[in-house]
């Protein structure tokens, strides 16, 4: 058992004075005056030793009290000077250290509070990871983005989630910025960075949705090009077709039969080109939706009946799965009819004889599914880009117009092939 310095000192003083008392008794016992004087001296020596012991222990007690206060993170305790030089120096140093710690702690708390408020009020979604790269917390914007899914994501690695955006972000490195498209339409700018917490590195992700800005910029760009093309082409085609018609009428003699046929073919080509340009112009001239309260069940039934003959020719069946209760939604019937006819037509073209198309309706969404040819990932990311088409004679207008109509209605949508092989166009109303 090891003795403390305090115990050693007390033991030393005790043994020393016992020995001295014994020696004084042995040597000076015969001389009563000198013996009594020696005993008084030893008594005074014991008293002085005790006082010196207390003086030595006082700084230690101050230090112990200060350490306990620091352990309890209580920086409000300060000591009053005692009038003793060495102790007062120690007290002065301690009080100065406590003042600095309290100021530093207050400053850190203020910074932490400010950062918490800043993160909470940020218009950008922020996801903070823990020391093991697992999802730890979300700010308000991120909670709104992930909705009910947010609570279930905590504690997971990014690659362990079933969220396509988070899985895409698993490979983003610290300091890296990346543009991510999740369903061919919704576009995010993502940046990953880190901060130091208790001396260790922690990462966080900032996710900013750029969909509206990109779509608006994109629409302005292609709208300007289409208007310019339509103006030039229509002016040229109008004048050219007028000349062709006039020339055809003038060359009415049978001797010009071959020439008239060539002029008629050229005129028909002009008309097709005019229709081609009109399709492009429709994207730019798309009016704002005029929604009315519509019976969604009846609307879907009508679409299915209308498209059934086209599907039957290709050996494809169309099934509708409708809820028992009638679902009413505010729709622009004409525009939404164009959307659904185009989506079902694309589904038919993706199918082979024996495949199936299902149109499913629920309270909050509409899904058009087919088990035909799946959509490749690199193609899916571009399907809604203006003028992109996988068909050899496609103009890339159908899905662009579909995108504009759905966005104007305020509906979110996605198009992707799931793991079960079914391709789903989902519209969330």
């Amino acid at each position: 058992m090891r003795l403390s310095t305090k115990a050693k000192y007390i033991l030393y003083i005790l043994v020393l004075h016992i020995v001295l008392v014994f020696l004084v008794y042995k040597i000076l016992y015969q001389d009563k005056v000198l013996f009594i004087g020696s005993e008084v001296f030893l008594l005074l020596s014991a008293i002085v030793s005790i006082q010196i012991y207390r003086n030595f222990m006082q700084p230690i007690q101050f230090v112990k009290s200060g350490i306990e206060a620091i352990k309890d993170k209580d920086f409000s305790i300060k000591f009053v000077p005692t009038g003793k030089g060495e102790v007062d120096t120690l007290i002065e140093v301690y009080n100065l250290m406590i003042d600095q710690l309290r100021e530093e702690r207050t400053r850190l708390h203020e910074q932490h509070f400010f950062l918490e408020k800043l993160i909470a009020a940020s218009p950008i979604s922020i996801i903070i990871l823990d020391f093991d790269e697992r999802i730890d917390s979300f700010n308000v914007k991120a909670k709104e983005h992930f909705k009910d899914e947010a609570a279930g994501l905590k504690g997971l690695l990014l690659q362990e989630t079933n969220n396509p955006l988070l899985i895409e972000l698993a490979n983003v490195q610290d300091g890296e910025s990346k543009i991510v498209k999740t369903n061919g339409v919704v576009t995010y700018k993502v940046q990953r960075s880190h901060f130091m917490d208790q001396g260790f590195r922690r990462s966080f992700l900032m996710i900013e949705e750029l969909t509206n800005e990109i779509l608006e910029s994109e629409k302005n760009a292609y709208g300007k090009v289409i208007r310019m093309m339509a103006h030039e082409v229509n002016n040229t085609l109008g004048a050219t077709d007028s000349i062709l018609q006039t020339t055809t009428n003038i060359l009415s003699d049978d001797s010009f039969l071959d020439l008239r046929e060539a002029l008629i073919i050229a005129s028909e080509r002009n008309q097709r080109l005019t229709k081609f340009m009109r399709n492009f112009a429709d994207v730019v001239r798309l009016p704002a939706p005029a929604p009315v309260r519509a019976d969604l069940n009846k609307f879907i039934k009508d679409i299915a009946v209308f498209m059934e003959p086209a599907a039957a020719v290709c050996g494809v069946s169309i099934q509708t799965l409708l809820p028992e209760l009638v679902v009413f939604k505010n729709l622009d019937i004409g525009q939404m009819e164009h959307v659904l006819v185009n989506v079902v037509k694309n589904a038919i073209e993706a199918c082979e004889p024996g495949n199936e198309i299902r149109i499913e309706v629920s309270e909050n969404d509409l899904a058009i599914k087919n088990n035909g040819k799946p959509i490749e990932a690199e193609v899916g990311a571009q399907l809604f880009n203006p003028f992109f088409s996988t068909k050899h004679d496609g103009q890339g207008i159908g899905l662009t117009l579909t995108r504009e109509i759905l966005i104007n209605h305020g509906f979110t949508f996605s198009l992707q092939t799931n793991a079960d092989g079914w391709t789903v166009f989902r519209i969330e109303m």
Side-chain angles (χ1 to χ4, degrees):
M1 180 179 177
R2 295 189 62 182
L3 296 176
S4 65
T5 304
K6 172 183 174 181
K8 288 178 180 177
Y9 177 78
I10 293 172
L11 184 62
Y12 170 75
I13 293 298
L14 183 63
V15 170
L16 176 65
H17 282 80
I18 289 173
V19 170
L20 288 175
V21 168
F22 177 76
L23 291 175
V24 167
Y25 174 79
K26 284 291 185 182
I27 297 172
L28 301 176
Y29 180 73
Q30 301 298 327
D31 191 340
K32 300 295 183 181
V33 176
L34 195 57
F35 175 75
I36 292 171
S38 299
E39 292 297 324
V40 170
F41 174 77
L42 289 174
L43 179 62
L44 292 175
S45 173
I47 293 171
V48 171
S49 297
I50 292 170
Q51 188 60 41
I52 291 173
Y53 168 75
R54 287 178 176 173
N55 290 341
F56 276 131
M57 288 304 298
Q58 193 172 28
I60 296 174
Q61 291 299 329
F62 280 129
V63 171
K64 286 180 66 177
S65 300
I67 290 172
E68 291 299 323
I70 292 172
K71 279 183 179 179
D72 295 335
K73 298 181 179 180
D74 183 358
F75 302 128
S76 61
I77 295 178
K78 296 178 70 174
F79 296 120
V80 179
T82 62
K84 299 176 181 178
E86 296 87 349
V87 176
D88 286 352
T89 301
L90 181 62
I91 289 173
E92 183 181 353
V93 172
Y94 173 82
N95 289 342
L96 180 61
M97 179 185 70
I98 285 295
D99 286 338
Q100 291 177 343
L101 286 173
R102 185 172 58 252
E103 290 175 5
E104 185 69 18
R105 189 186 187 194
T106 302
R107 185 176 67 83
L108 289 174
H109 278 179
E110 289 173 349
Q111 288 181 350
H112 184 69
F113 180 76
F114 172 73
L115 286 174
E116 279 188 340
K117 291 294 183 183
L118 185 64
I119 290 171
S122 173
I124 299 174
S125 297
I126 299 176
I127 302 174
I128 300 175
L129 307 180
D130 63 16
F131 299 111
D132 297 320
E133 301 291 313
R134 297 181 181 275
I135 296 173
D136 181 63
S137 60
F138 302 86
N139 73 338
V140 175
K141 186 68 176 179
K143 288 179 180 177
E144 291 175 359
H145 175 82
F146 293 101
K147 300 178 183 176
D148 297 336
E149 188 184 1
L153 294 173
K154 289 187 178 180
L156 299 178
L157 296 171
L158 295 175
Q159 58 268 28
E160 292 175 348
T161 66
N162 291 324
N163 187 285
L165 174 60
L166 295 179
I167 292 173
E168 186 75 23
L169 303 185
N171 297 322
V172 178
Q173 303 299 316
D174 270 354
E176 185 180 351
S177 182
K178 188 175 182 180
I179 300 296
V180 177
K181 271 190 176 184
T182 55
N183 61 2
V185 179
V186 183
T187 307
Y188 300 97
K189 179 183 179 183
V190 181
Q191 185 170 352
R192 179 167 178 157
S193 190
H194 72 275
F195 63 98
M196 301 304 294
D197 183 7
Q198 302 176 34
F200 295 94
R201 184 183 183 122
R202 288 181 64 182
S203 297
F204 64 94
L205 294 161
M206 295 182 290
I207 304 172
E208 181 182 7
E209 186 171 350
L210 303 176
T211 308
N212 293 335
E213 291 84 350
I214 289 176
L215 291 180
E216 189 63 30
S217 175
E218 196 177 74
K219 188 173 180 180
N220 289 338
Y222 71 66
K224 184 176 180 181
V225 173
I226 288 174
R227 283 191 292 268
M228 180 183 68
M229 288 172 58
H231 175 75
E232 295 297 328
V233 172
N234 288 337
N235 285 347
T236 302
L237 291 179
T240 304
D241 198 55
S242 177
I243 294 171
L244 290 173
Q245 295 290 343
T246 302
T247 306
T248 302
N249 293 332
I250 292 173
L251 301 175
S252 57
D253 192 276
D254 290 342
S255 59
F256 297 106
L257 181 60
D258 292 340
L259 183 56
R260 282 205 312 274
E261 288 179 356
L263 292 174
I264 291 171
I265 292 172
S267 179
E268 290 174 351
R269 177 58 184 161
N270 272 1
Q271 292 170 13
R272 284 195 295 271
L273 190 54
T274 301
K275 184 179 179 181
F276 178 84
M277 287 307 304
R278 190 180 298 117
N279 289 336
F280 279 102
D282 285 343
V283 179
V284 180
R285 293 199 303 260
L286 181 66
V292 296
R293 193 165 184 264
D295 179 348
L296 193 57
N297 291 7
K298 182 179 181 304
F299 183 51
I300 294 303
K301 285 180 183 177
D302 293 344
I303 295 293
V305 170
F306 178 73
M307 296 302 296
E308 250 175 26
V313 170
C314 299
V316 178
S317 63
I318 297 179
Q319 294 185 14
T320 56
L321 289 87
L322 308 176
E324 294 181 3
L325 297 176
V326 178
V327 178
F328 288 97
K329 294 293 179 183
N330 291 324
L331 310 170
D332 184 312
I333 299 295
Q335 291 187 8
M336 286 302 296
E337 184 178 79
H338 177 91
V339 167
L340 296 181
V341 166
N342 184 63
V343 173
V344 173
K345 176 176 173 290
N346 288 343
I348 293 171
E349 292 173 352
C351 287
E352 296 177 350
N355 287 148
E356 181 183 343
I357 295 172
R358 297 177 185 172
I359 307 177
E360 300 178 1
V361 176
S362 68
E363 180 65 29
N364 296 315
D365 64 11
L366 163 65
I368 301 172
K369 305 179 178 180
N370 75 82
N371 58 350
K373 184 180 178 181
I375 298 174
E376 297 176 3
E378 55 272 18
V379 173
Q382 303 181 68
L383 279 176
F384 291 95
N385 290 349
F387 319 127
F388 175 83
S389 177
T390 58
K391 304 170 187 175
H392 68 278
D393 57 346
Q395 301 172 22
I397 294 297
L399 285 179
T400 302
L401 194 55
T402 294
R403 182 190 75 178
E404 295 300 319
I405 291 172
L406 293 176
I407 289 174
N408 290 344
H409 274 76
F411 298 157
T412 57
F413 56 97
S414 62
L415 174 58
Q416 61 185 9
T417 300
N418 296 332
D420 59 7
W422 284 79
T423 300
V424 182
F425 192 110
R426 187 176 303 279
I427 303 171
E428 296 181 12
M429 301 179 178

